[in-house]
Amino acid sequence: MDKVNKQNTEYLILRNKKAYEVIIGLEVHAQVISKSKLFSSSSTKFGAEPNTQVSLVDAAFPGMLPVINEFCVKQAIKTGIGLKAKINKKSVFDRKNYFYADLPQGYQISQFNYPIVGEGSVIIDTPIGQKTIGIERLHLEQDAGKSIHDMDPQNTLIDLNRSGVALMEIVSKPDLRSPEEVSAYIKKLRSIMRYLGTCDGNMQEGSLRADVNVSVRVKGSKKLGTRCEIKNVNSIKFMQMAINYEANRQVDLIEEGKLVSQETRLFDTKKNETRSMRNKEDAHDYRYFPDPDLLPLEVSDEFINKLASEIPELPDDKKKRFIDKYKLSSYEATILVSDYETSKYFEDVVENSDVRLGTNWIIGELFAVLNEKNLEISQSPISAKNLSKLINLIKNGTISGKIAKTIFEFMMDGDKDPLKIVEEKKLKQESDPKELEAIINKVIHDNPDKVKDYKSGKTKLFGFFVGLVMKLSAGKANPQLVNDILKRKL
Ligand code: MN
């Protein structure tokens, strides 16, 4: 395994012979995979008609009481275990008070002093090795509704379908130091939650979005600078662009002798700039207090242990196993465990064929096709079963590696069985010594000058003869046999 270190990737902003480092912390909002909402039984299905998945609780009708969804609690605890975090046996739901039109309660039910999950960590891969990013906490909270500003020129419309959907807010420590580390962190977090089945990580649908806290300081300084929080960024690329812009803006201010003021900003994706939304409110502005409608949430050791026993093998452990068991390089293992489907595909292929050939074919040929067609591995035009068959045909000498590439092309058309293609297209490798001898005899007979040169010491000509034999056999001659027979004949 790679050594886990505390080193940062180099990302410095240089001004007037000073080097500023950028300090980043993320508050990720991850939507819990659950059929129903955190405190009501309404559906969470994405893409429904506006306001069709709203119960009286979600619409905050007076007197309606929230009821905690046990499944969402289990999902949060599982995620906590995946983040190697402390699970708090007692946590408390608080009301976070603020006014907004898409928040009918006038407060969000969240967790403040007593979150369900405490400190943990995530290991990320960086170009200079692995790095541990601290997790501060994970708490459960409700999502708000959605304001729609672009459907009616006069009015803002409200869709409450999302109101009350369960979110896990995962707060990192300010351990990130570059846009690249942020990307690696989000990807790893998403990978872990997908393995766990606790969040689908679909950023286009808003299942994963982040508030990005950015500050800068002269490298070497111990004191943190004043931070700004960029709200609700919903793609990795936008996070990176926002950090870049915001860090440079802060350095400019400091260099001009001005102060960075603590504020909440938004990222304008069209103009590629952050803009001030409001001065940053402090926690006390929200008048947090325990929600009197909900009892403190208590979970037993048995409850936690039962969930721990259901945790699947996660990416870090799987990577270690792939390196030990299949002798993969760290690079190969990292790619192959990045999502569960890929790791499963890999094991399905190599368990039934050959590890080395399988690894090369998946990372090489297959990934090239998937990238080109912009497909997930679950949409692969070639099944693991048929790819392992192809590899076995190479392994047992039925076809050469070169012919296999041709067959691979044919296989993409409807996931065809490679053996059928070999038979249909007559692509079987020629391994009959008599047939090969006939071809070789012809090559020798047709090129007396070259044979003479070869015999007088120009042994480099050997490749020339092999090339001719391969050409005459339409690439089907077994290369090993051709070598043996040619050597003997010459
Ligand atoms: Mn939040």
Side-chain angles (χ1 to χ4, degrees), residues 66-282:
V67 178
I68 186 80
N69 179 340
E70 184 181 318
F71 184 74
C72 293
V73 172
K74 288 180 173 172
Q75 294 286 68
I77 293 175
K78 277 188 175 179
T79 306
I81 296 169
L83 301 177
K84 301 192 167 47
K86 180 173 181 286
I87 308 300
N88 292 323
K89 289 192 333 193
K90 183 174 175 183
S91 63
V92 174
F93 285 101
D94 296 283
R95 291 185 178 183
K96 180 181 182 181
N97 297 279
Y98 67 97
F99 173 79
Y100 207 77
D102 57 24
L103 183 77
Q105 286 168 164
Y107 57 85
Q108 175 193 34
I109 305 178
S110 181
Q111 298 189 305
F112 185 52
N113 279 327
Y114 304 97
I116 186 162
V117 175
E119 292 189 317
S121 63
V122 169
I123 294 171
I124 61 166
D125 289 294
T126 80
I128 53 166
Q130 294 192 314
K131 177 178 171 181
T132 306
I133 306 300
I135 298 293
E136 181 70 38
R137 59 187 279 159
L138 175 157
H139 65 251
L140 274 169
E141 63 184 27
Q142 303 172 295
D143 205 349
K146 191 168 127 195
S147 301
I148 304 165
H149 305 289
D150 56 2
M151 276 178 71
D152 183 323
Q154 307 300 329
N155 299 295
T156 289
L157 306 177
I158 304 285
D159 175 11
L160 292 181
N161 280 355
R162 226 169 59 191
S163 169
V165 165
L167 301 177
M168 298 180 281
E169 179 170 333
I170 302 166
V171 182
S172 83
K173 294 186 187 280
D175 287 347
L176 298 156
R177 290 290 178 277
S178 68
E180 289 68 35
E181 290 186 11
V182 167
S183 169
Y185 171 75
I186 293 281
K187 284 178 183 164
K188 189 60 175 287
L189 200 58
R190 184 168 61 186
S191 167
I192 291 169
M193 292 191 292
R194 282 179 173 167
Y195 267 80
L196 291 165
T198 57
C199 170
D200 66 24
N202 190 332
M203 299 182 91
Q204 290 85 30
E205 292 180 5
S207 306
L208 193 75
R209 42 196 206 266
D211 301 339
V212 185
N213 287 288
V214 179
S215 67
V216 298
R217 68 181 173 197
V218 173
K219 190 170 165 58
S221 147
K222 286 273 175 279
K223 200 169 158 268
L224 287 171
T226 305
R227 70 188 159 96
C228 287
E229 178 177 352
I230 310 158
K231 274 282 174 199
N232 237 346
V233 192
N234 65 357
S235 90
I236 292 173
K237 196 172 145 236
F238 290 156
M239 286 177 208
Q240 295 187 310
M241 287 161 67
I243 291 163
N244 241 313
Y245 177 89
E246 179 59 20
N248 277 284
R249 185 188 72 88
Q250 292 182 15
V251 170
D252 288 345
L253 281 174
I254 295 167
E255 283 294 316
E256 287 165 22
K258 294 175 185 159
L259 287 176
V260 175
S261 56
Q262 185 180 334
E263 58 187 2
T264 302
R265 301 177 70 87
L266 61 82
F267 181 60
D268 184 326
T269 56
K270 293 200 179 74
K271 293 186 178 159
N272 183 21
E273 63 180 27
T274 64
R275 280 203 303 277
S276 181
M277 284 168 77
R278 54 179 187 256
N279 282 338
K280 173 68 187 172
E281 48 290 286
D282 284 313

Side-chain angles (χ1 to χ4, degrees), residues 247-464:
N248 277 284
R249 185 188 72 88
Q250 292 182 15
V251 170
D252 288 345
L253 281 174
I254 295 167
E255 283 294 316
E256 287 165 22
K258 294 175 185 159
L259 287 176
V260 175
S261 56
Q262 185 180 334
E263 58 187 2
T264 302
R265 301 177 70 87
L266 61 82
F267 181 60
D268 184 326
T269 56
K270 293 200 179 74
K271 293 186 178 159
N272 183 21
E273 63 180 27
T274 64
R275 280 203 303 277
S276 181
M277 284 168 77
R278 54 179 187 256
N279 282 338
K280 173 68 187 172
E281 48 290 286
D282 284 313
H284 62 249
D285 295 323
Y286 287 113
R287 301 290 191 274
Y288 278 100
F289 66 88
D291 191 314
D293 290 340
L294 289 158
L295 290 166
L297 178 64
E298 291 187 37
V299 289
S300 64
D301 284 323
E302 290 95 305
F303 190 80
I304 298 168
N305 292 339
K306 170 96 187 350
L307 292 169
S309 72
E310 293 167 10
I311 301 286
E313 181 184 40
L314 293 175
D316 290 336
D317 289 333
K318 184 162 284 189
K319 179 178 171 183
K320 192 172 181 312
R321 181 168 67 82
F322 277 16
I323 290 172
D324 292 345
K325 182 174 176 187
Y326 301 118
K327 311 291 172 225
L328 300 186
S329 70
S330 172
Y331 167 77
E332 290 166 337
T334 301
I335 295 181
L336 292 168
V337 306
S338 63
D339 67 88
Y340 174 76
E341 296 294 332
T342 304
S343 70
K344 168 104 173 37
Y345 188 100
F346 166 78
E347 290 207 281
D348 286 349
V349 169
V350 302
E351 288 291 335
N352 296 301
S353 60
D354 179 86
V355 171
R356 197 42 20 225
L357 282 169
T359 306
N360 294 345
W361 273 83
I362 291 170
I363 293 181
E365 307 296 319
L366 185 70
F367 280 9
V369 167
L370 297 180
N371 276 336
E372 188 195 309
K373 296 182 187 281
N374 201 13
L375 297 173
E376 301 281 330
I377 194 123
S378 58
Q379 306 162 303
S380 168
I382 296 174
S383 62
K385 190 174 155 209
N386 277 336
L387 184 58
S388 62
K389 279 188 188 174
L390 179 70
I391 289 161
N392 283 327
L393 292 174
I394 306 169
K395 203 178 162 191
N396 66 26
T398 308
I399 54 172
S400 67
K402 192 154 171 274
I403 291 289
K405 290 188 181 174
T406 310
I407 295 170
F408 186 81
E409 298 288 326
F410 288 122
M411 286 170 75
M412 280 195 283
D413 180 21
D415 192 27
K416 279 201 188 123
D417 185 325
L419 191 57
K420 287 221 175 77
I421 297 170
V422 169
E423 283 161 2
E424 273 170 32
K425 313 266 176 195
K426 305 199 180 357
L427 291 169
K428 195 161 184 266
Q429 182 158 267
E430 187 53 77
S431 298
D432 179 350
K434 285 211 180 91
E435 296 285 335
L436 291 176
E437 267 196 61
I439 297 171
I440 288 166
N441 284 339
K442 179 170 164 41
V443 167
I444 289 173
H445 180 263
D446 290 351
N447 296 279
D449 297 349
K450 294 276 197 294
V451 174
K452 217 172 129 195
D453 290 350
Y454 178 84
K455 285 186 172 159
S456 67
K458 285 196 177 169
T459 50
K460 277 186 185 158
L461 278 169
F462 193 75
F464 164 80

